[in-house]
Amino acid sequence: MLRIYGGLAVLAVCGIAVGAGIAYGPASPTTFRAASTSPDTFRAGSTSTPSSTRPGTGIALTANLSICDKYCDGRDPALAAGDRQALSTVIYGRSIVLHFDDADDMAWASIDSGSAGDEVWMDRSWDGGYTWSDGSKLGDTTIPSGKTGWRTLMYNVDDWAVHPGVGVVRACGKAGNRSEISCTPWARTTWNASDSRRAAATALMQFYNEGTGLFNGTGWWNSANDLTSIIDGIRITGMASYQYVIADTYAAERNANLGDFRNSYMDDTAWWALAWIDAYDLTGNTTYLNTAKDDANYLAGYWDSTCGGGIWWSNAKTYKNAIANELYLYLNAALHNRISGDTTYLARAQAEEKWFLGSGMINGSNLINDGLTINSNGTCVNNGAAVWTYNQGVILSGLTELYKATGNASVLNEAVTLANASSSSAQLNPVSATAPKGELADPSAGGGDEPTFKGVYARGVYALNSVASGAPYGCYLARQAATAYVNDRNAADQYGNLWAGPWSSTAQGGPDQPAAAQQGSAVYLQNAGPGFTSPNSPAVTNALNCS
C-alpha cells in the first residue's frame, strides 16, 4: 500500500526481507553525482530465482535477496570496489546516504548521527521509480545499542538475467521513535551510463516492455522513435547492451494493426519504416529493409493529385500535412541509398521534394506549418497551424538523404536555409534564465505526442550537420544537450520535457515526471551532443557558452 508522509511516497510492506546490519562509522553525505567511470559492457546475470512478474511486461522478475550478477545480493559493503556517496537526505538530524559501488553495479544505504533503534533500508524499482513492490525495504536494519551509525548490505541495481532488468534504487530511513520516513531520490550506478548518451539510453530502457515490444506509457509512433533512438545510440557509442530490443520488437509488433508495421496513419507507418532502416544499417539484416520497402509502397498508394500531389495523412484522405510528406521524402531517399540500382524510390523522393517545396507549407519565415487547407474550389493553402519542431527536423533528415543520393548542391542549400531559420527562431528557441541563448521548445508541451517532437528535430539537425560544410550546427546541438543535462535531469538520468528546466521536485508525481516519450527525445538529443560525464566538466561549460 502506498502512503504519503510529508509529501514523500512510502510503501507499507508485508513480508519484508531483512539483511544483517554491519557496524558503521560516521558518513560524509553529499548530494552531487560524481563523474561516470565504469565501463559499458553487457553483463549477463548468473543465477536468480524468478518469483514475480512486472505488471504489463510478461517478464519474470526476481524478488528480494535473489539477484546474482557479478556478486549476489547481500554482499558486505566492506568488500566494495568503491564508495560513491551519490545522494543524501536528513530527517530529525539523521543523515541517510545512498552509496554506489559503480564497478560492481551494487548499492547500499547508511544512516549516521543517529541512535539505537533508528532504521535504514533501500528500495529497488524496475520501472524508473514508479513502483517497487518486489524490491522494497532491502536490507532493512536498525542501529544497534552503543552505535550512532549503521548500514545495510549491498544489493544489485540491475538484474541482467532478465530483459530489460534495468533498476533504480533509493535509500530510506527513519528515527526509531518517529513514524515519519525520508528517502533520497531514485538513482543508479554508472554501469551502462558512463556518459550522458549511454545514461539517457539506459534510463529509457526502464520503460521497455518486452511483452509488447513497445515502451510503456507512450504511443505506437512514439515507441518507433524510442527504438530508433536506442539504435542510433548503439551506433554512436558502441554500447550494444540493448541491441536485443530490435529483434524483440520486430517479433512482438509485426502483426499489430494492419501488419508489417502499417496502420491507418501514414506518418505512424513511416516512423516504423525508418526505425527498420536504422535497424538494417546496424545489423545488416535484410528482413528489416524489406519491411521498410513494403511500408514505403503502402504509403505510395496514398499519393494523388489533390493539392497537386503529396500523400494523405491517413486513409480517411481528409488532410495533407507536413509530417507525412516529410517522412515520405525521407523514407524513399533512404531506401534508394540502400538499394543498388534503384530508380523507383529515388523518383518518389524527388517528386516529393519538388511538390513539398512548392506546396505552400513553408511560410515566409522559412518555418513549416502543420499542413494545408483544401478549399472548396480545390485549391490548397498553408493552414497557418502550429510550427512544430519535428516538422522543422524531419525535412532536414529527408533532404540530407536526398543530397546523399544525388549530390545536388541545391538540395543541401535548401536544407541549410531551413535549418538556419529554425535554429535561430525566437519562437522555437525562447530565452530564459537557464537558457540565455535559447532552449528548443514547441508551441505547447502538453499531450502524448509533443514530448517526442524536439528530439526528432535534434536528430534532423544532427544528420544535416554531418554533411554540411564546417559542421555549422555542432555548437547549437552541444548547447541544447548541455542545457538539458544540467537543468532537466534527475539522479536517475531521467529527463523532463522542458530542457531548460526546472525538473519537477516530485519525480514520479509532478508535471514533468519521467515518461518514455520525453526520455526518448532526450536520447536523441544526447546522441546529437558530444557526450558529457559531469555537470561540472569543462565540456559542459564550453557547450553552454558556445555560440
Side-chain angles (χ1 to χ4, degrees):
M1 179 171 63
L2 199 64
R3 295 179 178 172
I4 305 298
Y5 295 99
L8 290 171
V10 179
L11 194 67
V13 180
C14 297
I16 295 168
V18 178
I22 299 171
Y24 177 68
S28 300
T30 180
T31 57
F32 66 86
R33 296 181 69 249
S36 168
T37 57
S38 64
D40 294 304
T41 305
F42 178 79
R43 199 168 59 208
S46 50
T47 60
S48 61
T49 305
S51 62
S52 63
T53 300
R54 187 186 317 172
T57 65
I59 304 166
L61 292 175
T62 52
N64 296 341
L65 300 176
S66 63
I67 296 175
C68 291
D69 192 2
K70 184 177 180 180
Y71 301 106
C72 290
D73 282 353
R75 183 171 167 81
D76 187 341
L79 302 175
D83 178 2
R84 175 165 65 91
Q85 297 177 23
L87 294 165
S88 65
T89 185
V90 176
I91 185 168
Y92 292 111
R94 280 77 167 169
S95 176
I96 300 161
V97 181
L98 179 62
H99 302 253
F100 284 128
D101 174 359
D102 288 311
D104 298 327
D105 198 22
M106 301 190 83
W108 71 98
S110 68
I111 188 168
D112 187 42
S113 301
S115 57
D118 291 349
E119 190 177 0
V120 65
W121 68 89
M122 283 201 316
D123 292 330
R124 180 168 56 196
S125 171
W126 304 111
D127 56 8
Y130 279 92
T131 62
W132 53 98
S133 59
D134 67 341
S136 57
K137 301 202 86 170
L138 298 176
D140 185 32
T141 188
T142 58
I143 298 177
S145 177
K147 302 291 183 181
T148 60
W150 209 241
R151 65 188 179 191
T152 69
L153 295 172
M154 289 198 295
Y155 294 84
N156 286 289
V157 175
D158 300 318
D159 186 358
W160 292 111
V162 300
H163 289 156
V166 179
V168 290
V169 295
R170 66 180 183 180
C172 299
K174 62 182 290 293
N177 60 347
R178 299 278 187 168
S179 61
E180 297 90 346
I181 292 169
S182 184
C183 296
T184 68
W186 295 98
R188 56 170 289 108
T189 64
T190 57
W191 194 266
N192 277 1
S194 64
D195 68 17
S196 57
R197 298 167 297 189
R198 295 167 171 87
T202 293
L204 175 58
M205 286 303 300
Q206 294 164 17
F207 297 98
Y208 185 68
N209 186 322
E210 195 168 18
T212 66
L214 303 175
F215 290 80
N216 288 329
T218 194
W220 197 57
W221 80 269
N222 306 85
S223 278
N225 277 280
D226 287 347
L227 174 63
T228 303
S229 75
I230 293 292
I231 297 170
D232 284 353
I234 295 170
R235 186 176 61 253
I236 291 167
T237 69
M239 186 181 78
S241 299
Y242 310 123
Q243 189 164 331
Y244 67 87
V245 303
I246 299 173
D248 284 359
T249 296
Y250 190 86
E253 282 293 305
R254 186 175 185 182
N255 295 321
N257 295 303
L258 301 179
D260 250 2
F261 298 91
R262 294 172 295 181
N263 75 355
S264 59
Y265 288 90
M266 304 307 113
D267 53 344
D268 290 6
T269 301
W271 289 119
W272 280 105
L274 288 162
W276 298 124
I277 288 178
D278 214 27
Y280 167 73
D281 288 346
L282 182 68
T283 66
N285 187 335
T286 56
T287 297
Y288 303 137
L289 184 64
N290 289 334
T291 295
K293 289 164 60 178
D294 290 344
D295 291 345
N297 295 337
Y298 170 71
L299 298 182
Y302 287 88
W303 175 287
D304 65 19
S305 61
T306 303
C307 299
I311 66 170
W312 294 96
W313 179 40
S314 74
N315 61 10
K317 296 186 177 181
T318 58
Y319 187 37
K320 288 199 171 180
N321 65 349
I323 193 59
N325 283 282
E326 292 178 31
L327 289 164
Y328 186 69
L329 165 62
Y330 183 11
L331 174 57
N332 281 285
L335 284 170
H336 170 76
N337 289 335
R338 290 155 178 83
I339 300 173
S340 178
D342 165 70
T343 57
T344 298
Y345 297 108
L346 177 60
R348 289 177 184 170
Q350 290 176 315
E352 175 64 62
E353 181 218 12
K354 181 179 180 180
W355 175 81
F356 188 87
L357 296 181
S359 69
M361 282 187 279
I362 302 174
N363 65 33
S365 299
N366 283 315
L367 299 176
I368 300 169
N369 293 97
D370 192 68
L372 299 172
T373 295
I374 304 174
N375 296 319
S376 58
N377 63 2
T379 60
C380 301
V381 295
N382 187 319
N383 63 11
V387 176
W388 300 112
T389 54
Y390 78 154
N391 278 332
Q392 322 310 311
V394 173
I395 189 64
L396 304 182
S397 295
L399 291 173
T400 297
E401 284 288 341
L402 188 57
Y403 171 68
K404 290 178 181 178
T406 64
N408 188 337
S410 67
V411 175
L412 180 62
N413 291 339
E414 182 63 33
V416 168
T417 296
L418 295 173
N420 288 346
S422 56
S423 63
S424 63
S425 167
Q427 175 186 355
L428 296 177
N429 299 273
V431 169
S432 66
T434 52
K437 297 183 180 181
E439 169 214 2
L440 184 65
D442 278 289
S444 72
D449 290 337
E450 290 91 326
T452 299
F453 289 0
K454 294 188 296 183
V456 169
Y457 176 76
R459 186 174 189 256
V461 175
Y462 180 75
L464 176 59
N465 196 57
S466 69
V467 299
S469 177
Y473 308 106
C475 180
Y476 176 85
L477 291 168
R479 189 172 67 247
Q480 295 292 333
T483 295
Y485 181 69
V486 171
N487 298 297
D488 196 37
R489 176 181 62 97
N490 67 12
D493 288 299
Q494 298 165 332
Y495 286 77
N497 196 36
L498 307 174
W499 288 348
W503 174 260
S504 171
S505 60
T506 308
Q508 275 72 35
D512 211 18
Q513 64 185 15
Q518 63 199 40
Q519 188 67 29
S521 197
V523 176
Y524 272 151
L525 175 64
Q526 295 305 325
N527 284 341
F532 306 113
T533 57
S534 168
N536 302 314
S537 68
V540 168
T541 301
N542 292 339
L544 291 173
N545 295 323
C546 190
S547 60

